[in-house]
Amino acid sequence: MSILEGDFYTNLNFKGDITVENRKQIYNFVIKWRDKFRDQNINYIELVDHWMADDCAALGFEMDCGHAFFEKYGRAANNFEALKKIIDEVTDIPLLGSAIYSR
């Protein structure tokens, strides 16, 4: 089960110094954006404008052009099929959040 399915909040190991409040904020971010990307009727501008970037910045994710994620996971940073193979191994939420922010 990927981090975007099932009980994300209770099943994911958060690495680093992430408070309970920050976990809740990250969970809300995931649910909000997962639902937006799944919505077949969404206005495309909602997916590509600044709102997701604003949410990423508010959570402390860093814009690093995906370099840190690429260093750890290689081509999975830019290849959907490779990402699908490793996504269940990704437990470093700040690293993943920064990769999402950078895309």
Side-chain angles (χ1 to χ4, degrees):
M1 179 176 307
S2 82
I3 64 171
L4 297 181
E5 299 171 19
D7 195 356
F8 167 86
Y9 183 72
T10 57
N11 291 332
L12 187 62
N13 289 325
F14 287 85
K15 282 189 172 182
D17 190 22
I18 300 177
T19 66
V20 171
E21 181 58 32
N22 196 243
R23 288 176 189 219
K24 290 176 186 175
Q25 292 170 345
I26 291 168
Y27 174 79
N28 290 336
F29 169 87
V30 169
I31 299 304
K32 172 184 176 179
W33 286 100
R34 180 199 63 185
D35 291 349
K36 284 183 179 281
F37 277 95
R38 287 182 174 173
D39 183 355
Q40 299 281 326
N41 299 314
I42 195 163
N43 182 341
Y44 178 71
I45 198 73
E46 286 189 50
L47 301 177
V48 297
D49 208 340
H50 63 88
W51 295 295
M52 185 175 202
D54 292 346
D55 287 355
C56 287
L59 289 170
F61 300 148
E62 297 179 18
M63 173 68 78
D64 75 344
C65 298
H67 294 299
F69 193 86
F70 180 81
E71 284 182 23
K72 185 162 186 174
Y73 295 106
R75 67 187 200 108
N78 298 311
N79 180 287
F80 177 71
E81 291 302 319
L83 180 62
K84 279 182 15 180
K85 290 178 183 176
I86 62 92
I87 194 65
D88 290 335
E89 300 169 19
V90 179
T91 59
D92 186 335
I93 298 304
L95 178 67
L96 180 60
S98 293
I100 291 168
Y101 189 8
S102 297
R103 299 298 286 159

